[in-house]
Amino acid sequence: MNIKGIRGFKDLLPGEVEKWQYVEAQARRVFGLFGFAELRIPILERTELFTRSIGEATDIVGKEMYTFLDRDGDSLTLRPEATASMMRVHLEHGLFIKEPVAKYYFIGPMFRYERPQKGRTRQFHQIDAEIFGVQDARADAEILAMLMRYLRTLGIKNLSLQINSLGCPTCRTPYKEEIKNFLLSKRESLCEDCQRRLETNPLRIFDCKKETCQDLLTEAPVVLDYLCPDCREHFEQVKSLLQDLNLSFSLNPRMVRGLDYYTRTAFEVVAGELGAQNAVTGGGRYDGLAEELGGPPIPGIGFAIGIERLVLLLTEKQHFFKHPEVFLATLGQKAQKKGFTLAQDLRDGGVWAELDLEGKSLKGQMRKADKMRSPYVIILGEEELNRNRAILRNMATKNQEEVPLEEIAGRIIDRTKGTGDVGQMADKNER
Ligand code: HAM
């Protein structure tokens, strides 16, 4: 076959997919504890939605969007993130009227034309959560508490939460002037992109990956020192609430996030072992976004977790690699027939039952049961069948017992009830 997949667009195969199912199921469970409802948004949006919200001067809008004209000549874009779309949905459907305070989450693919590398793809996936309608610092602390609880649930260690405050337009305008003045004398040493950024949005210079530009910024003023009294008070409250919740964090005054809509609290969760692409989550407050999109003033705060990066950090394999609860091994045609219907009875009882469909020998079937790590095997042989019996083998202890045929399904169903439930395993993990 010579048609290949597209660079930066990955196929997910069995063996990997289980990890994704696990992290998605856990997100639904943990976010449910905080009352978040799922939103499903389209993959395509009008380009304007992103240029207006993320900002023209950002790398995402300037270099990374998959934008094209459709057959009607409308400019459409494959969504590079979910926050703007979620706010659009909230406004367009008047949800804010019924639910002035709304908590939504979303899971799905995003698209950015970036250079693929470890932890960075062109189609990537996010788990995104947003709270709309609350300005109070408790919303900031609540969303961070949910995020950190979720990551803890997955058993991921060595993560660090970094926070900053980016202020509001009132405090940011003089700050932008300040940073511009600071860099004007060094203009010639900035890269071409940053020279442009100096005019359009000097804050974006902090996003530059070039070492020379970053070096110039080491002495630069930071926005934290320019916060107005209201923004300062808000940030103090956020920090104090995080301390009340025993959530450790560090201040990163140089973190500006790569999207223009942020105001006040901004944060990232970084994992050292991810290498260059170390941010597993990014988020923050965006109190001006709703108005930017033509709606009433609706404050908001949220985060997005990159699933590709998240699964790279998973270590506790036992939580996502599942195995059949019982394997049916049969010898002879009569037994094969019986095994076939018995498997259905077991599934009726909620048990994952596997059986051989290839006509393997009994030895071959036992080998397969072992390979699939099934804890029990029901062996149906002709001789046992004639006596209305089956053999139940415990694969760990190698113990075998004869069980009357009419009891065998019930026995397995009773034994396996309550196991394999993702929710219960995660609870154990969280404690
Ligand atoms: P972001 O920082 O652009 O924020 O992306 C969030 C996360 O998505 C990153 O921390 C990373 O884990 C993942 N990510 C981003 N780009 C890629 C890529 N090319 N390949 C793999 N993973 C990637 C946002 O998108 C905001 N909408 C977050 C937010 C929600 N702010 C408020 N609410």
Side-chain angles (χ1 to χ4, degrees):
M1 192 183 85
N2 50 20
I3 301 177
K4 299 247 160 61
I6 306 166
R7 180 166 137 86
F9 288 66
K10 282 201 171 167
D11 302 312
L12 273 178
L13 310 181
E16 186 65 12
V17 169
E18 288 77 1
K19 298 181 191 171
W20 287 58
Q21 290 172 335
Y22 174 66
V23 298
E24 288 167 8
Q26 286 309 311
R28 292 177 201 285
R29 190 185 69 82
V30 174
F31 296 179
L33 302 176
F34 288 76
F36 279 64
E38 184 172 2
L39 267 193
R40 300 207 178 180
I41 53 175
I43 285 178
L44 274 180
E45 295 275 5
R46 294 184 188 284
T47 304
E48 200 189 350
L49 177 72
F50 302 118
T51 48
R52 268 218 249 163
S53 56
I54 300 172
E56 303 264 5
T58 58
D59 279 355
I60 299 179
V61 171
K63 306 181 188 166
E64 297 170 2
M65 294 205 305
Y66 281 88
T67 297
F68 62 95
L69 295 180
D70 78 355
R71 289 171 193 272
D72 299 326
D74 293 330
S75 177
L76 304 181
T77 293
L78 286 174
R79 60 179 182 220
E81 62 111 44
T83 313
S85 303
M86 286 160 90
M87 184 58 90
R88 177 192 62 70
V89 171
H90 192 59
L91 297 173
E92 187 173 332
H93 299 276
L95 300 178
F96 63 98
I97 301 166
K98 273 190 282 172
E99 302 281 352
V101 174
K103 299 186 271 188
Y104 302 124
Y105 76 92
F106 168 79
I107 302 176
M110 307 291 153
F111 305 85
R112 295 184 194 173
Y113 191 84
E114 293 191 88
R115 197 168 48 79
Q117 62 180 86
K118 180 183 168 201
R120 192 162 76 188
T121 48
R122 289 180 173 168
Q123 172 174 318
F124 62 99
H125 298 74
Q126 287 186 342
I127 298 174
D128 184 300
E130 314 284 349
I131 302 179
F132 292 157
V134 190
Q135 192 136 38
D136 195 284
R138 276 181 305 166
D140 307 44
E142 176 99 331
I143 201 108
L144 283 167
M146 182 168 92
L147 169 64
M148 298 317 281
R149 175 185 290 261
Y150 171 63
L151 296 171
R152 203 170 59 235
T153 293
L154 300 180
I156 300 175
K157 311 245 159 52
N158 302 325
L159 292 175
S160 92
L161 169 64
Q162 303 185 348
I163 63 170
N164 193 15
S165 175
L166 301 176
C168 62
T170 312
C171 34
R172 215 142 59 188
T173 311
Y175 170 68
K176 277 189 189 168
E177 274 311 303
E178 202 63 36
I179 190 105
K180 196 168 164 180
N181 289 337
F182 173 83
L183 287 171
L184 267 180
S185 59
K186 307 170 174 54
R187 197 172 190 281
E188 296 310 309
S189 315
L190 289 169
C191 73
E192 226 173 87
D193 276 349
C194 286
Q195 291 189 16
R196 211 182 43 246
R197 289 171 175 140
L198 199 56
E199 303 307 322
T200 52
N201 185 353
L203 223 66
R204 295 273 65 94
I205 298 176
F206 282 95
D207 299 337
C208 185
K209 315 249 167 9
K210 303 215 170 66
E211 223 170 281
T212 43
C213 296
Q214 286 307 317
D215 286 349
L216 292 177
L217 286 171
T218 44
E219 303 285 305
V222 291
V223 62
L224 263 188
D225 294 332
Y226 291 78
L227 296 184
C228 65
D230 283 353
C231 288
R232 190 175 301 280
E233 171 61 19
H234 187 271
F235 196 47
E236 288 307 316
Q237 285 176 6
V238 173
K239 288 189 289 183
S240 149
L241 286 164
L242 293 181
Q243 276 153 2
D244 291 347
L245 294 173
N246 283 326
L247 284 181
S248 48
F249 59 87
S250 57
L251 281 188
N252 180 353
R254 278 165 213 287
M255 183 220 304
V256 295
R257 308 277 301 122
L259 305 94
D260 276 353
Y261 52 57
Y262 289 113
T263 53
R264 296 191 166 174
T265 315
F267 55 87
E268 286 185 355
V269 177
V270 300
E273 58 194 271
L274 282 179
Q277 303 306 318
N278 65 357
V280 72
T281 309
R285 187 168 268 289
Y286 43 86
D287 293 344
L289 176 63
E291 284 168 282
E292 197 64 55
L293 298 178
I298 299 173
I301 182 159
F303 62 75
I305 303 167
I307 304 186
E308 280 77 2
R309 296 181 195 178
L310 191 63
V311 297
L312 284 173
L313 297 169
L314 289 181
T315 48
E316 298 184 23
K317 293 192 177 64
Q318 72 274 21
H319 296 308
F320 39 82
F321 288 118
K322 300 187 191 123
H323 47 72
E325 286 153 313
V326 65
F327 193 98
L328 285 139
T330 60
L331 186 64
Q333 265 196 345
K334 201 168 147 203
Q336 202 180 64
K337 230 167 139 56
K338 179 67 199 163
F340 201 68
T341 55
L342 188 54
Q344 308 306 325
D345 294 344
L346 287 161
R347 291 162 186 158
D348 283 345
V351 169
W352 176 6
E354 276 292 337
L355 76 172
D356 164 56
L357 297 175
E358 301 160 72
K360 281 187 193 298
S361 67
L362 185 60
K363 207 167 157 198
Q365 294 176 62
M366 295 306 288
R367 227 181 278 129
K368 187 162 179 190
D370 198 41
K371 197 166 156 212
M372 293 184 90
R373 308 192 36 205
S374 174
Y376 294 105
V377 177
I378 296 174
I379 304 168
L380 292 173
E382 234 152 282
E383 197 259 319
E384 287 87 11
L385 261 191
N386 289 338
R387 291 190 287 113
N388 252 342
R389 310 222 139 213
I391 296 170
L392 179 59
R393 180 179 170 89
N394 180 323
M395 295 294 274
T397 62
K398 312 249 186 295
N399 281 342
Q400 296 196 164
E401 55 178 313
E402 272 200 9
V403 180
L405 254 188
E406 62 276 11
E407 284 176 26
I408 189 91
R411 283 257 212 127
I412 295 280
I413 291 165
D414 286 348
R415 271 189 214 197
T416 54
K417 212 177 274 169
T419 59
D421 177 341
V422 169
Q424 289 194 5
M425 286 200 223
D427 282 344
K428 257 184 259 153
N429 211 16
E430 226 172 297
R431 264 179 242 132

